[in-house]
Amino acid sequence: ELLDRASALGPDALEQARIGELRVLVLLARNRLTDALAVGQATLAALGVPLMALGDPSTWPTVPRAHALNFSQPSPRADCAQRLLVGLTPCAYITSFELYTRVIRTMIELAVQWPASALTPLAWTNYGITLCGLERRAEAFEASELALSMLDRVADAALRCKVRVLCLGFLRHWRLPLSQQVAPLLQAYDDCQISGDQEYLGYAAFL
């Protein structure tokens, strides 16, 4: 009801997208995943960022070097779309691998065009996990290293803990010795405690 009242106040496009994002999170909390995906896709389309087609994986973006990225041009629209995509990720992961992959592809296109977003490291992390599923493990490792290298630019501890836990748990451990993993794992645990993210705190403790 509160979101309906907010929507009736005539918000601008970014505010309306934020309302759509909150609707997605509410539906996710109620386990109404199909409804959340429908609302999220409609909100992204209204924002001018529809989900990309799956396409041929051989044409997907390569992982760039951090020094080649331009961090000086933020985009509120891209940030808004990335937040929506992050909200849609668990819904799509559970319900449809094709939709999940389309969500990640859209994330990466935004990350390539607008790398200044604080959500860019998480986008590259999710891309790395997707590349692992395609057995492109070397590129997946590169994506994790790029994501981790960007964390100094991220003030949000909740985002830092997600990136570290996912990179260390799924993308890095098979390429680097355990002795190089201990300090980053402890940092991931600290970030989870600071942010109050109990879910990822449990993952970090398990790792």
Side-chain angles (χ1 to χ4, degrees):
E1 182 182 347
L2 287 175
L3 294 177
D4 289 339
R5 290 168 61 185
S7 187
L9 293 175
D12 63 26
L14 293 182
E15 292 168 340
Q16 188 65 56
R18 175 59 174 158
I19 292 169
E21 177 194 347
L22 293 173
R23 291 187 193 279
V24 167
L25 296 177
V26 169
L27 291 167
L28 174 59
R30 294 176 176 174
N31 204 33
R32 292 170 55 185
L33 305 183
T34 303
D35 291 339
L37 285 166
V39 170
Q41 289 185 80
T43 305
L44 284 167
L47 195 59
V49 187
L51 285 186
M52 294 188 63
L54 197 57
D56 181 351
S58 67
T59 66
W60 292 0
T62 57
V63 180
R65 302 297 182 208
H67 64 76
L69 299 174
N70 181 2
F71 295 103
S72 63
Q73 296 182 359
S75 168
R77 176 172 157 275
D79 286 347
C80 192
Q82 288 282 32
R83 286 196 305 271
L84 267 163
L85 291 162
V86 169
L88 289 178
T89 299
C91 306
Y93 183 82
I94 293 169
T95 58
S96 165
F97 179 74
E98 179 181 345
L99 262 181
Y100 169 77
T101 307
R102 291 176 62 197
V103 167
I104 303 308
R105 280 284 289 112
T106 310
M107 270 188 181
I108 283 303
E109 286 301 318
L110 288 170
V112 169
Q113 295 177 43
W114 305 102
S117 171
L119 290 158
T120 294
L122 186 57
W124 285 110
T125 301
N126 285 321
Y127 192 49
I129 292 171
T130 305
L131 291 172
C132 266
L134 297 172
E135 299 188 1
R136 292 163 61 176
R137 298 183 185 91
E139 294 169 87
F141 178 76
E142 292 174 5
S144 76
E145 295 304 283
L146 176 62
L148 290 168
S149 74
M150 294 178 173
L151 290 187
D152 287 344
R153 310 177 63 86
V154 177
D156 187 345
L159 280 175
R160 294 199 306 269
C161 85
K162 286 179 172 61
V163 169
R164 285 198 170 99
V165 167
L166 292 172
C167 286
L168 298 170
F170 296 98
L171 299 173
R172 221 175 180 231
H173 62 284
W174 55 277
R175 288 291 297 271
L176 297 176
L178 182 60
S179 60
Q180 296 183 30
Q181 301 285 77
V182 175
L185 279 169
L186 291 173
Q187 184 61 61
Y189 187 83
D190 288 344
D191 283 340
C192 293
Q193 285 188 307
I194 291 168
S195 68
D197 191 325
Q198 297 298 309
E199 179 185 0
Y200 275 80
L201 180 63
Y203 298 151
F206 179 78
L207 292 174

